[in-house]
Amino acid sequence: KTAGRACYRVYSAEESEQGQHQQMLSEALVASLKVAPEEFSVMYQPQYDLRSGAMVGMEALMRWRHPELGAVSPGEFVPLAEQRGLIHELTEQLVRCITRDLTRHDFGTHGNMRLAINISARQIADDRLEVLLEPFFTRLQLAGWCPELEITETHLMNLSPRCLDKLRDFGKRGVMVAIDDFGTGYSSLAYLHALPVHVLKIDRQFVQRLGPDSRDSRIVSAILGIADALELEVVAEGIETEAQKAKLQELNCHRGQGFLMARPTPLESLVRQATSG
Ligand code: C2E
Ligand code: MG
Ligand code: MG
Ligand code: MG
């Protein structure tokens, strides 16, 4: 129907199978969010100071393991939760997992450690968000950590002035706001300048194409220049090789995360790392 009238669309077997799979996942997600919170967990991917090698923060990434469907990636279930109007319930689950993890596994006093969560831009308009995040902020404050909210660039572009005000209020409370997957959207410099954000995360597609003399190193360099002009911090994501890391260091990018240093891990193992090394 969306293709317009008088237009036939022929579905291949593969397409309808995919549709059925999506439908099944979607139904399972609705049910699991209601009755099976134990299927959800959170992995933490550390972020490092690329000069000293010190761990300076981490990003919380949600995991869902269904008893029959197995592990479903957030790339699949997050959009489904959005479609089904359940993104708040998902974030609620995320906050529950994080506060539980932080209570069980004591990191000791690691002042200034950042903990970033991903939220969908459309959640910002909803007044429930502040209430939902309250236990997260409170728990982090107890641990002496700084909360960060990551929002994908593409979606930041459509925020209303009221939503921007809300982001500004978060900022006033000491919450950092990051633009995720930077470089994949179409932010104008004027718009970026007006955004109440503090951190820019360079999308991994640019990091992964970093070579000795590639065009992409000039792109990363340009992004660093923009961040510098707007006085934003930068985090490079998706660092997989020593060469990429070296290039980032050379370009004066001081913060990064990626499989080279660490994959998303249960908090427990990170605590062991931090307290043993
Ligand atoms: P993102 O926020 O851009 O997160 C980074 C993704 O890149 C993660 O995938 C992470 O595992 C992966 N990654 C990290 N380092 C590397 C690397 O060196 N190489 C490669 N190839 N990948 C790397 P993940 O965990 O599958 O999450 C995918 C996306 O799902 C996230 O992208 C985020 O947008 C979304 N997401 C995850 N958890 C949540 C959540 O709790 N709430 C919401 N709203 N979205 C979430
Ligand atoms: Mg993110
Ligand atoms: Mg990202
Ligand atoms: Mg992403």
Side-chain angles (χ1 to χ4, degrees):
K1 234 186 198 163
T2 48
R5 286 201 312 177
C7 166
Y8 293 97
R9 187 142 153 66
V10 182
Y11 285 92
S12 66
E14 202 178 296
E15 247 180 316
S16 75
E17 223 170 79
Q18 211 185 355
Q20 273 172 22
H21 180 68
Q22 287 295 100
Q23 191 56 34
M24 189 168 61
L25 273 185
S26 169
E27 297 303 328
L29 181 65
V30 172
S32 294
L33 277 172
K34 272 201 193 118
V35 299
E38 70 283 358
E39 292 173 15
F40 297 90
S41 62
V42 172
M43 296 290 229
Y44 301 81
Q45 188 178 35
Q47 298 178 342
Y48 296 91
D49 182 319
L50 295 178
R51 293 162 296 186
S52 67
M55 193 195 293
V56 289
M58 49 184 94
E59 176 177 7
L61 295 157
M62 200 156 200
R63 296 293 176 258
W64 176 35
R65 177 174 287 279
H66 186 272
E68 275 125 48
L69 302 167
V72 184
S73 95
E76 265 191 290
F77 69 77
V78 170
L80 286 180
E82 285 175 344
Q83 282 164 30
R84 301 293 297 247
L86 287 169
I87 193 67
H88 273 291
E89 283 72 7
L90 199 75
T91 302
E92 203 170 15
Q93 192 54 55
L94 173 81
V95 168
R96 227 177 277 140
C97 289
I98 293 175
T99 48
R100 185 202 54 209
D101 288 349
L102 283 173
T103 306
R104 281 195 193 153
H105 308 291
D106 185 11
F107 236 88
T109 43
H110 249 266
N112 281 332
M113 187 77 110
R114 271 311 156 66
L115 181 53
I117 60 171
N118 295 281
I119 60 163
S120 302
R122 68 178 67 179
Q123 289 182 272
I124 300 167
D126 195 318
D127 289 328
R128 283 180 299 168
L129 184 66
E130 286 96 313
V131 182
L132 207 67
L133 295 180
E134 211 45 61
F136 171 66
F137 295 148
T138 309
R139 192 67 197 76
L140 284 199
Q141 203 169 22
L142 275 172
W145 290 13
C146 174
E148 187 170 309
L149 304 178
E150 296 190 3
I151 306 161
T152 303
E153 185 194 9
T154 355
H155 300 124
L156 265 176
M157 296 310 107
N158 309 315
L159 290 184
S160 67
R162 192 174 79 89
C163 288
L164 294 181
D165 278 341
K166 285 183 163 205
L167 283 187
R168 210 165 279 117
D169 288 341
F170 279 127
K172 283 182 196 148
R173 301 186 45 187
V175 178
M176 308 282 282
V177 181
I179 309 181
D180 206 349
D181 304 338
F182 186 80
T184 61
Y186 303 94
S187 329
S188 72
L189 287 177
Y191 189 78
L192 274 179
H193 187 58
L195 276 181
V197 297
H198 316 93
V199 182
L200 196 155
K201 291 191 82 175
I202 305 179
D203 191 71
R204 71 162 179 264
Q205 76 181 76
F206 301 110
V207 174
Q208 291 183 348
R209 272 186 261 147
L210 278 179
D213 59 0
S214 69
R215 221 173 125 235
D216 289 279
S217 76
R218 295 211 296 274
I219 291 178
V220 169
S221 179
I223 294 176
L224 289 164
I226 292 170
D228 189 48
L230 299 172
E231 298 182 318
L232 299 176
E233 282 182 23
V234 179
V235 179
E237 64 178 12
I239 306 173
E240 290 185 353
T241 68
E242 287 292 349
Q244 289 160 2
K245 187 173 130 192
K247 195 75 203 178
L248 286 163
Q249 284 167 322
E250 186 191 310
L251 295 171
N252 277 320
C253 175
H254 298 316
R255 227 176 144 95
Q257 72 186 86
F259 292 170
L260 174 70
M261 291 87 85
R263 288 185 177 256
T265 336
L267 188 66
E268 197 184 349
S269 3
L270 287 181
V271 172
R272 244 182 280 128
Q273 251 180 55
T275 48
S276 69

